[in-house]
Each structure stands twice: as structure tokens, then as C-alpha cells.
Amino acid sequence: MNRKRAVKKAAVLMGLFTAAEAGSSAYFYRRTMKRSNAKVERTMKMAGTDWSQYFPLMEERKEFMMAQPHEEVYVRSEDGLKLHATWFPQGDQKKTVICFHGYTSRGMSDYIGLSGYYLKHGYSMLLVDERAHGDSEGTYIGFGCLDRFDGMKWIDWAVRTCGADAEILLHGTSMGGATVLMMSGLKLPPQVKGIISDCAFTSAKEVFTHVLHSMYHIPAFPMIQIADLVNRKRAGYGLDECNSAREVKKAAVPILMIHGSADTFVPVSMCEKIYKNCASPKRKLIVEGAAHAESYYKDTEAYETALDEFIWDYGK
């Protein structure tokens, strides 16, 4: 009788544990993967970067950027979403950079600083809102896995707009950095001359695991596994279905990787892993003391020098 009670009690406890894990996983999934619950304020807090010190420079760059001719443009994704970008044409538009932003951000936010570099160097800028961000449609965030195919649509748009002799760079930050690295494993058209990836993660699964361990101090199992199953059903992809460190093994386009040594959100070890695996001509800049996505502002001279040298060698 005591044994029966013990078994029953264990079954009840196991049921409660399973329900708790399912509830925690559902909560994690909703606030991370679904557009309506993914908040920029929470992302900024988790990233830990002090942006207030750069506000004066950002305001100056934004004023310059918005004074340039620009227009809103759209394409359709393979699964029918209306995707938005802001287009800043310069000169004959042959030199173009397509920019991909970070998680919960938008194109017009993440490239205010770098507009001062690209526009003054004669590059047209296409600032993309990735799916489920900004003015692009979508319910579930793509974490680069889906966005890489959307990126191919934007490359097609740029080639049609700028001509077959266009010289295109892809520049991504954080989730956008992962997006452009994942695109490197696809068959890119000859107009794409180089890829710049800033503070990219390897995969959604690996960066989520890191965040759960380092910031919430909770085990990733079975939360990640449950979220993966749910995401396959709802968003149509697995959390490790596409991994930057695997995709760059197929890369043919030159890649410049940039990362901050003090990045606690996406650890610099992910950059090292991606760099080691990269099959194409590659360069790397580690900015000492830079937090997540802070490298350009922390050491503008080193960042722009790395861009100058990379573009001089590969971007034309």
C-alpha cells in the first residue's frame, strides 16, 4: 500500500514538474519568438550596452542621414510576406550595401552610425526591416534561418535597381550578422562582393542556451527542445536548422567578422568558432572592451580602417 502511495506521489510530482516545464517553455517561446511579445527594451537590457554615451553622435549622424534622398521600398518573401526597407541611393547606385539589423530592432535604427561611413564613401544603402520587425510583415521572428532567404529577395531587388554591374556588400549586426553569414552558404550572385558580420551568433539554439545559462541561471534542457518543436510547427524552422558556423564552411564570398571582446550577450567565442570554420577569404577584428553591437562606436577608427582595407581588397 505504501509502495502504491509512493508511486502515485511520484507520478503527481512528475506531472507537476512536466506542467511547470511546459509552462516555462511556453512563456520563454512567446516572449522570444513571437513578434508581439519581443520587446526592444528587454533586448537592450539583456545586451547591457550603454548607448547613452553615444547619443550625441547618433543624433548628428541621423540628421545627416535623413537629409539624403530616400524612399520606402518593398519585396515579397517566398512565403508571401510584404517586406520593407528604406533605400538611400547615392551617385550611380553601382556601389550598394544591404544592411540587416539585430533582434527587436529595425534597419533605420541600427545603421545610423554607419551611415556616416557608407554614404560618405559613395555607397547607396538599403536598410532592411527583417521579417516580423519594423514595417515588414510576419508573426514569428526568423533568427537568420528564414531571413537568409528574404535577404536573397533584397539582393535580387538591388541587382534589378542598380544593374547587372552593381557591386554589393552585405552588412549585418547581431541577428543581422547571423543572417548574412547564413546567406554565405547559399548561391550568391556575382554582384555580391563581400560580407561584413558584426557580433553574429552561431544559431538561435546556441545563443538561447547561452542566455538561459549566463543571465537566468537555469538549464536549457528541456526548455530549448520544447521551444524547438513548437517553432518547427508554428514558424516552420528548427532553432539549429541553420547555423552560421556550419554555413560559412560553404562560403565563397570574402567575409569580415567583427566582435567586441566584452560582449556578454553573444560571446566572442561564437565569432572565433565561425571564423575557424569559414572557407572563403576572411578577416577578423576583435574590439577590446566593446559590448554587444558597440564595436563601431567603441573604436570607430579601427572599425572603419578594417572596412577600408576589406573593401579595397574585395569589395570591388
Side-chain angles (χ1 to χ4, degrees), residues 135 197 305:
D135 291 328
S197 173
T305 297

Side-chain angles (χ1 to χ4, degrees), residues 73-77 81-84 150 153-154 157 160:
V73 296
Y74 300 88
V75 298
R76 285 279 175 188
S77 69
L81 298 178
K82 186 178 181 181
L83 305 176
H84 166 265
D150 300 339
K153 297 292 186 180
W154 286 117
W157 181 92
R160 291 196 310 271

Side-chain angles (χ1 to χ4, degrees), residues 65-134:
M65 179 174 68
M66 298 309 295
Q68 310 305 307
H70 58 279
E71 61 178 304
E72 312 307 316
V73 296
Y74 300 88
V75 298
R76 285 279 175 188
S77 69
E78 289 184 354
D79 52 349
L81 298 178
K82 186 178 181 181
L83 305 176
H84 166 265
T86 306
W87 171 236
F88 288 81
Q90 295 287 298
D92 62 6
Q93 304 176 20
K94 297 305 178 186
K95 295 195 304 181
T96 294
V97 58
I98 307 176
C99 301
F100 298 83
H101 61 78
Y103 175 63
T104 69
S105 189
R106 61 191 303 156
M108 286 293 290
S109 296
D110 281 11
Y111 288 90
I112 291 172
L114 277 160
S115 68
Y117 175 85
Y118 281 120
L119 294 177
K120 288 180 179 178
H121 281 72
Y123 272 85
S124 298
M125 298 184 75
L126 183 64
L127 306 183
V128 170
D129 285 347
E130 297 192 52
R131 62 169 54 214
H133 289 80

Side-chain angles (χ1 to χ4, degrees), residues 190-203:
Q191 290 84 4
V192 177
K193 304 301 182 183
I195 292 172
I196 301 100
S197 173
D198 188 339
C199 62
F201 53 75
T202 48
S203 72

Side-chain angles (χ1 to χ4, degrees), residues 178-194:
T179 297
V180 297
L181 290 177
M182 292 175 186
M183 289 173 69
S184 76
L186 302 175
K187 186 173 177 57
L188 297 171
Q191 290 84 4
V192 177
K193 304 301 182 183

Side-chain angles (χ1 to χ4, degrees), residues 254-266:
I255 300 176
L256 169 62
M257 300 175 205
I258 302 170
H259 218 102
S261 69
D263 192 336
T264 57
F265 194 38
V266 178

Side-chain angles (χ1 to χ4, degrees), residues 261-273:
S261 69
D263 192 336
T264 57
F265 194 38
V266 178
V268 70
S269 59
M270 290 193 180
C271 177
E272 300 292 356
K273 182 178 180 180

